[in-house]
Amino acid sequence: MPDPRATDPTSPVCEVEDLTMHFGPVHAVDGVSFRVNRGQVLALVGESGSGKSTVGRCITRLYKPTSGTVRLTGTDVTGLSRRAMRPHRRTVSIIFQDPASSLDPRLSVADIVGEPMRLQGVDRAERSDRVNEMLEQVGLARSVLQRYPHEMSGGQRQRVSLARALVSRPSLLVADEPTSALDVSVQAGVLNLLADLQRELGFACLFITHNLSAVEYIADDVAVMYLGQLVEQGTREQVFTRPRHPYTQALLSAAPVADPDQQRERRRVVLSGELPSPLDPPSGCRFHTRCPVAVDICRVEVPALRMIGSQSAACHLVDDEGNGPDVRDRTVATSTRGSETG
Ligand code: SF4
């Protein structure tokens, strides 16, 4: 039997090309391209305000992109109306950060989980069987079927969201910061569950987060966004062991490490300033106002996202072999001077 989790590069579930999303003068996403293959978990990483959630909403067509293309299992869904999009709702599902606001408070768990199937015309008996099966898969007892969202804990509500999102067996799940609104004590349980379900059911996943520990745990590949653009992409191992872009290096330097000795020894990059406004993004490389190694060309010329082997990075100082600065070499130890990268 084929491994349901096998990543298949010949079978993209989602292809995003030159995606742009402007909200009036706000350039939330500008020219983003990537693909998610069958069975692959691609983490989309960046600070709050980087545009990563907007990308997720464009893919699920909660937003209509300003330009560019979104293809789901080979079909261009970019310009589809709500009605024309309906058949593709089985292909892609989304879960959000805060299940308290994303679940309809007037519906019971049975109705919340069964609703996508009801809209697809699945009969009541089959709906009931599949709801029961799905609840078991997300680790909830049948006794919750008649409860309402406000009667459940945050972790239970997120399990209900997962059950609802997966009940129609989508090819792609967009998980938008799925654990960051939960108590720390239940985050790991929900993340483990998501990883187990992904292995078991084999869906592809766009995992949107700022939590690099979660990325290391769950992702096959990583794409890093800064101010509406992709700045680096590669396998998890490539990005974690040899980040090429100064922004990725800064993000990694600020992520917590489990080993206390390593944590003490590590150097943390001090990024100056706040994330600039997407209303008026900086010229040239958008990161130049905060980049510790910026040079003159960075202020005037936009660096292309170039392939370096199977990894890619958008930085003028990274050569075709992938050699370039590591901003972590230029900084002071955390124990003497700490700062946020956001
Ligand atoms: Fe820094 Fe320049 Fe590279 Fe941008 S292009 S990341 S400003 S060195």
Side-chain angles (χ1 to χ4, degrees):
M1 198 173 138
D3 175 359
R5 192 170 180 265
T7 297
D8 182 355
T10 61
S11 168
V13 168
C14 170
E15 297 160 279
V16 173
E17 267 172 39
D18 210 10
L19 182 72
T20 296
M21 184 77 224
H22 293 174
F23 299 97
V26 177
H27 295 201
V29 176
D30 254 332
V32 165
S33 302
F34 61 82
R35 58 195 268 176
V36 192
N37 296 318
R38 190 175 71 81
Q40 181 189 23
V41 179
L42 174 67
L44 195 55
V45 177
E47 288 165 280
S48 158
S50 60
K52 57 193 192 305
S53 292
T54 304
V55 169
R57 283 168 167 77
C58 287
I59 289 172
T60 49
R61 282 301 322 278
L62 294 174
Y63 293 156
K64 185 165 188 254
T66 307
S67 63
T69 311
V70 175
R71 270 191 295 276
L72 295 175
T73 55
T75 305
D76 183 348
V77 300
T78 328
L80 295 187
S81 65
R82 250 171 204 275
R83 176 185 283 264
M85 186 63 199
R86 225 174 263 161
H88 302 285
R89 296 261 165 244
R90 295 176 76 141
T91 308
V92 60
S93 285
I94 185 166
I95 59 168
F96 298 97
Q97 178 172 357
D98 184 4
S101 55
S102 61
L103 299 178
D104 188 334
R106 297 162 306 177
L107 297 184
S108 66
V109 169
D111 288 339
I112 289 170
V113 179
E115 192 183 33
M117 290 185 291
R118 187 176 62 75
L119 296 175
Q120 287 155 19
V122 176
D123 71 46
R124 187 184 285 265
E126 189 181 343
R127 269 191 342 245
S128 168
D129 286 349
R130 281 171 57 186
V131 167
N132 287 337
E133 185 192 351
M134 204 61 236
L135 280 188
E136 200 178 320
Q137 283 185 300
V138 299
L140 289 173
R142 284 194 194 178
S143 56
V144 304
L145 275 171
Q146 296 313 319
R147 286 206 208 147
Y148 290 83
H150 72 272
E151 298 174 311
M152 309 180 85
S153 70
Q156 285 177 321
R157 281 196 290 259
Q158 199 56 302
R159 284 170 193 261
V160 172
S161 301
L162 261 175
R164 177 187 164 92
L166 298 176
V167 74
S168 302
R169 297 285 184 265
S171 304
L172 175 71
L173 175 71
V174 175
D176 187 359
E177 300 271 13
T179 60
S180 55
L182 303 177
D183 282 352
V184 174
S185 58
V186 295
Q187 286 185 1
V190 172
L191 192 63
N192 283 338
L193 173 66
L194 178 58
D196 287 348
L197 288 169
Q198 196 273 329
R199 267 191 294 273
E200 207 173 301
L201 303 175
F203 53 85
C205 180
L206 182 69
F207 185 76
I208 298 170
T209 189
H210 66 277
N211 178 346
L212 290 171
S213 310
V215 172
E216 208 170 3
Y217 176 68
I218 202 170
D220 299 303
D221 295 274
V222 182
V224 182
M225 279 188 81
Y226 183 79
L227 209 56
Q229 297 181 324
L230 275 192
V231 296
E232 176 150 17
Q233 189 170 358
T235 64
R236 178 190 56 205
E237 203 194 341
Q238 286 169 337
V239 172
F240 275 81
T241 57
R242 200 165 169 210
R244 316 287 178 146
H245 196 280
Y247 178 61
T248 314
Q249 294 162 0
L251 280 185
L252 286 170
S253 81
V257 172
D259 180 341
D261 290 338
Q262 264 187 33
Q263 179 73 34
R264 247 192 315 278
E265 287 302 308
R266 73 210 299 255
R267 289 169 180 278
R268 191 166 176 177
V269 179
V270 181
L271 285 185
S272 56
E274 298 289 314
L275 188 69
S277 166
L279 265 171
D280 185 20
S283 58
C285 173
R286 291 187 176 185
F287 187 52
H288 86 250
T289 54
R290 299 167 82 197
C291 180
V293 291
V295 291
D296 285 349
I297 191 176
C298 305
R299 293 176 192 91
V300 287
E301 202 171 296
V302 179
L305 188 67
R306 281 180 302 122
M307 292 304 295
I308 304 149
S310 57
Q311 196 171 354
S312 59
C315 174
H316 289 304
L317 299 188
V318 178
D319 68 18
D320 290 342
E321 271 73 56
N323 300 311
D326 191 329
V327 297
R328 294 170 297 182
D329 297 337
R330 303 163 53 95
T331 53
V332 292
T334 4
S335 50
T336 55
R337 188 177 166 198
S339 176
E340 289 297 323
T341 57

